[in-house]
Amino acid sequence: MVLSLTLRGGDSSPRRVSRISLSWQILDSMSRYLPIEWQTRLAKSMPWAIDDLIKLRPCTGDDAPILVQLYADPDVRRLIGRPLAPTIDETRNVIDTRRDVMSSYYIVERLDAAAAVGCAAFLRNDFINDVDILIALLPQHRRKNYGSQILERMRKAWIDELKNDHCTVTVQPNNDAARKVLAKCGFRQSGEYTNKCAVTSLIYRYPQS
């Protein structure tokens, strides 16, 4: 998920970043995407309108520019891995030719302007042997309560439409704003893990087991 907040870096000084991630992924590993039958089931119910302000819809080749823009953020790359491709044309080719990958991605679009403002995705996290939710928004569209609304809609899709019994997200311990949003949306901490880069993340689960 993405919000605007202050993180503390290794020097313990405040550092402004404009996103938080609820997943740590290596994006070029095909095993980290949803099964095709699940992707198809979710696509049938789209677009998902949220509070008459934004909607989530399937990703298309025309969305390559916003994905490149989002993944140009170094904090995005640090937290969730490499972009799908380095250029707009190459990203468009991935979207058009790898539907097994891109059907796990959804575009966040403003209803009043029909303009893409971010993306969301279900991506497998091998460190917890479960699926994480990713939400990333452009800087000018953060701090508008979109993140919590998108998270709630993704949670509904995962549990109500795909009939899973729980929803899991991960977040780094110093992301206080993210943890408040998770608590607001009914998620509770259920554990933690440390990845191969020695980065510790907290595991949040809905409903609380």
Side-chain angles (χ1 to χ4, degrees):
M1 188 188 64
V2 176
L3 298 173
S4 179
L5 71 160
T6 298
L7 295 179
R8 292 190 174 272
D11 59 357
S12 297
S13 60
R15 182 165 66 93
R16 171 62 58 185
V17 298
S18 55
R19 66 174 310 287
I20 56 175
S21 172
L22 299 186
S23 56
W24 181 287
Q25 305 294 336
I26 301 173
L27 295 181
D28 60 352
S29 174
M30 297 302 101
S31 65
R32 283 163 168 75
Y33 300 93
L34 295 185
I36 293 295
E37 60 270 23
W38 286 14
Q39 297 173 9
T40 301
R41 193 184 312 171
L42 291 180
K44 288 180 179 178
S45 67
M46 287 189 139
W48 300 332
I50 301 175
D51 198 25
D52 297 325
L53 297 174
I54 56 175
K55 70 177 180 181
L56 272 68
R57 60 166 176 79
C59 182
T60 72
D62 291 337
D63 298 312
I66 191 172
L67 292 179
V68 171
Q69 187 176 357
L70 287 167
Y71 284 99
D73 184 337
D75 287 302
V76 173
R77 294 197 304 271
R78 177 176 61 84
L79 289 170
I80 63 172
R82 292 173 290 177
L84 296 168
T87 69
I88 291 176
D89 286 343
E90 290 173 302
T91 300
R92 182 179 290 109
N93 183 63
V94 171
I95 296 171
D96 290 339
T97 61
R98 294 306 307 268
R99 296 311 303 171
D100 57 332
V101 172
M102 296 314 302
S103 290
S104 291
Y105 279 79
Y106 314 109
I107 296 300
V108 181
E109 186 174 272
R110 282 178 59 103
L111 292 174
D112 59 349
V117 300
C119 76
F122 292 114
L123 298 172
R124 183 173 177 79
N125 183 335
D126 283 344
F127 293 105
I128 61 174
N129 193 31
D130 212 328
V131 171
D132 264 340
I133 295 173
L134 163 69
I135 305 171
L137 298 171
L138 295 173
Q140 63 269 33
H141 297 288
R142 296 161 188 166
R143 293 183 174 270
K144 295 183 178 181
N145 199 36
Y146 291 167
S148 60
Q149 294 180 67
I150 296 168
L151 175 61
E152 289 181 342
R153 185 59 184 87
M154 298 282 279
R155 180 193 65 193
K156 174 180 173 63
W158 188 251
I159 293 179
D160 295 348
E161 297 177 36
L162 295 181
K163 307 302 181 184
N164 292 294
D165 61 6
H166 72 280
C167 184
T168 301
V169 296
T170 64
V171 64
Q172 292 184 356
N174 55 358
N175 283 354
D176 292 336
R179 296 173 68 181
K180 289 179 181 178
V181 169
L182 288 168
K184 175 183 176 181
C185 294
F187 288 79
R188 297 294 181 267
Q189 185 180 344
S190 62
E192 64 179 47
Y193 74 93
T194 301
N195 66 20
K196 291 183 290 187
C197 297
V199 175
T200 297
S201 294
L202 305 178
I203 303 168
Y204 277 72
R205 177 185 172 112
Y206 177 93
Q208 187 176 16
S209 57

